Amino acid sequence: MQVQVRYFAAAVDASGCESEYLTLAAGSTLGELREAIRSRYGAPMEPILRVSAYLVGDELTRDLDRPVGSRVDVLPPFAGG
């Protein structure tokens, strides 16, 4: 399945992009997606993924057992105005 991954804040810096599509097995979990992202970007992404929340559909979650949907947003902590 194709999953659109959108990055924000520090995740954009670590990945070098704002959005990309990753191919995962059907029924993959957020933990499996997180591992795919970590494998792709290595050490710079590791601490970001550890503290990030994830928006899957309309649900903000940190539950790594949650199945992914067609789009996942990686939301590291950031300050806004």
Side-chain angles (χ1 to χ4, degrees):
M1 73 186 280
Q2 288 282 330
V3 179
Q4 181 185 22
V5 181
R6 298 190 312 175
Y7 301 107
F8 293 86
V12 171
D13 295 335
S15 68
C17 64
E18 292 183 1
S19 179
E20 67 180 332
Y21 286 88
L22 297 178
T23 302
L24 299 174
S28 290
T29 65
L30 190 53
E32 291 165 325
L33 174 63
R34 194 170 100 163
E35 179 58 27
I37 295 168
R38 190 200 61 74
S39 293
R40 186 174 182 99
Y41 295 109
M45 188 63 87
E46 180 76 34
I48 296 164
L49 293 173
R50 260 195 316 265
V51 299
S52 290
Y54 302 89
L55 187 63
V56 182
D58 292 330
E59 179 187 351
L60 186 64
T61 186
R62 286 190 166 94
D63 178 4
L64 298 181
D65 292 326
R66 189 202 188 287
V68 297
S70 60
R71 187 181 75 217
V72 175
D73 293 350
V74 178
L75 303 170
F78 56 91

